[in-house]
Amino acid sequence: MPTAPESAIKRALERVRARRDLAARRDNDPVSFVHRYAALHDREIVALVASSVAFGNVKTILAKLGDALDRVGESPALAADDPERLRVALDGWIHRVYLGEDIARLMIGARRVQRSSGSLGARFAAELAAAGDLREALARFCDAIRDEGGFPLKRLAPGMRRGPAHLLPDPRGHGANKRLLLFLRWMVRPADGIDLGLWPVAPAVLVIPVDTHIHTLAKNLGWCRGNTLTFKTAEQITLRLRKLDPHDPIKYDFSLCHMGMLQRCPSRRDEARCRGCGVKPVCRHWYGR
């Protein structure tokens, strides 16, 4: 059972979640592109691409995703069955450290894993059953896509671009793996207008994708310390969330992330920026622990 402070935090988080405007928020989130497709195979490919490039300015991300998917055509999965044509379609596409060639390799690798396993969801579920650990299962899943797509995990020579290695990183590393965990959330969590509930995996095993907004909010709630974002940080935050809902611990992620973006959540008391914040009543900067 949650303690009294945990119950207070849960009530605050439920209020934040209840007042979200799903339609408006989804339209300004990369997950909106996944909802445009009906077929499972297309949704999986689009979700992997959208989550993989989801860093930086949101407007730019949405514009670049729209451009890439327009180039690919109405079925990204079928487009990936023709590697040469896909590479031509994406030639000249650029977003931050990524080139069209990187996106093509990601799609080709994912499609080949799809075809060999039936779906990306089936492959991930099999890796999870074999590994018994979310992080290792995700790492093996990424290894398979990387191998099939033919792009390196690390720079192989001085001066080599870091785009390919950054696009699909190794979850065994020190990073928080925010983009990969975001992909899992979209695919696994029950369909709620944002997440799609497409994979045969229990939401209870998920780990929250932590960006700067979630990290700051978690520190303000007393759930973690320090400024370094690692996978361990994400696990610590998820552990606290599991006390609030052991079956669906990261259901608050979308609402909190967007609230943090709107509030520009500070790491101290700020009369102007904290006004109207949904977690202000349980924030340690305002009311202690």
Side-chain angles (χ1 to χ4, degrees), residues 81-104:
D81 283 333
D82 188 341
E84 291 308 313
R85 186 173 181 180
L86 180 63
R87 289 188 174 95
V88 170
L90 289 170
D91 184 47
W93 184 91
I94 301 175
H95 174 54
R96 298 179 71 95
V97 299
Y98 306 139
L99 300 180
E101 171 67 16
D102 304 329
I103 301 301

Side-chain angles (χ1 to χ4, degrees), residues 8 12 21 43 65-66 82 88 104 121 126 140 144 146 170 184 188 192 196 225 227 234 242 264 267 269 282 285 289:
D21 183 344
R43 285 182 157 190
L65 277 173
D82 188 341
V88 170
R140 295 179 187 182
R146 201 179 298 109
D170 184 358
L184 289 187
V188 172
D192 62 357
L196 295 105
R225 297 181 180 180
N227 297 318
R242 285 201 179 102
R264 294 182 297 115
S267 298
R269 290 174 67 131
V282 289
H285 296 301
R289 294 189 178 279

Side-chain angles (χ1 to χ4, degrees), residues 20-287:
R20 63 184 179 170
D21 183 344
L22 287 183
R25 294 284 177 263
R26 192 175 80 182
D27 287 346
N28 289 295
D29 192 278
V31 75
S32 62
F33 287 95
V34 189
H35 287 268
R36 299 180 184 181
Y37 297 83
L40 171 63
H41 290 175
D42 288 329
R43 285 182 157 190
E44 288 184 330
I45 298 290
V46 172
L48 182 61
V49 172
S51 59
S52 295
V53 303
F55 74 105
N57 179 272
V58 175
K59 289 184 178 180
T60 302
I61 293 170
L62 298 179
K64 291 295 183 177
L65 277 173
D67 179 28
L69 293 172
D70 285 345
R71 290 165 176 253
V72 166
E74 63 181 23
S75 176
L78 292 181
D81 283 333
D82 188 341
E84 291 308 313
R85 186 173 181 180
L86 180 63
R87 289 188 174 95
V88 170
L90 289 170
D91 184 47
W93 184 91
I94 301 175
H95 174 54
R96 298 179 71 95
V97 299
Y98 306 139
L99 300 180
E101 171 67 16
D102 304 329
I103 301 301
R105 288 179 181 273
L106 179 66
M107 293 176 62
I108 293 164
R111 179 58 174 160
R112 287 173 178 169
V113 171
Q114 239 182 17
R115 292 176 67 87
S116 65
S117 302
S119 70
L120 294 182
R123 180 57 174 263
F124 179 78
E127 296 291 5
L128 183 60
D133 173 77
L134 181 83
R135 189 177 186 181
E136 180 57 26
L138 186 56
R140 295 179 187 182
F141 176 79
C142 292
D143 288 345
I145 294 175
R146 201 179 298 109
D147 289 345
E148 292 289 353
F151 55 93
L153 177 60
K154 298 179 180 180
R155 298 186 190 188
L156 301 180
M160 182 177 176
R161 291 188 309 107
R162 69 186 183 97
H166 188 271
L167 187 63
L168 196 67
D170 184 358
R172 302 178 185 91
H174 298 294
N177 294 292
K178 180 255 183 180
R179 292 171 293 132
L180 286 170
L181 293 176
L182 179 63
F183 171 61
L184 289 187
R185 198 203 82 200
W186 291 350
M187 297 290 96
V188 172
R189 278 207 67 253
D192 62 357
I194 300 297
D195 301 322
L196 295 105
L198 298 175
W199 285 6
V201 175
V205 306
L206 294 177
V207 173
I208 190 169
V210 180
D211 61 7
T212 55
H213 306 294
I214 293 295
H215 192 206
T216 300
L217 282 165
K219 289 191 289 184
N220 290 349
L221 292 173
W223 286 354
C224 64
R225 297 181 180 180
N227 297 318
T228 304
L229 265 177
T230 64
F231 196 86
K232 183 177 180 180
T233 306
E235 289 180 316
Q236 289 175 338
I237 297 170
T238 305
L239 183 63
R240 302 301 291 267
L241 288 168
R242 285 201 179 102
K243 294 182 179 180
L244 308 184
D245 189 334
H247 303 293
D248 190 9
I250 70 169
K251 66 182 181 183
Y252 305 108
D253 175 53
F254 182 80
S255 301
L256 287 176
C257 185
H258 278 260
M259 187 194 75
M261 291 166 64
L262 290 172
Q263 298 281 158
R264 294 182 297 115
C265 187
S267 298
R268 55 183 173 79
R269 290 174 67 131
D270 187 311
E271 292 286 351
R273 287 166 62 180
C274 295
R275 187 175 298 116
C277 176
V279 299
K280 182 178 176 181
V282 289
C283 177
R284 65 188 181 91
H285 296 301
W286 288 91
Y287 299 104

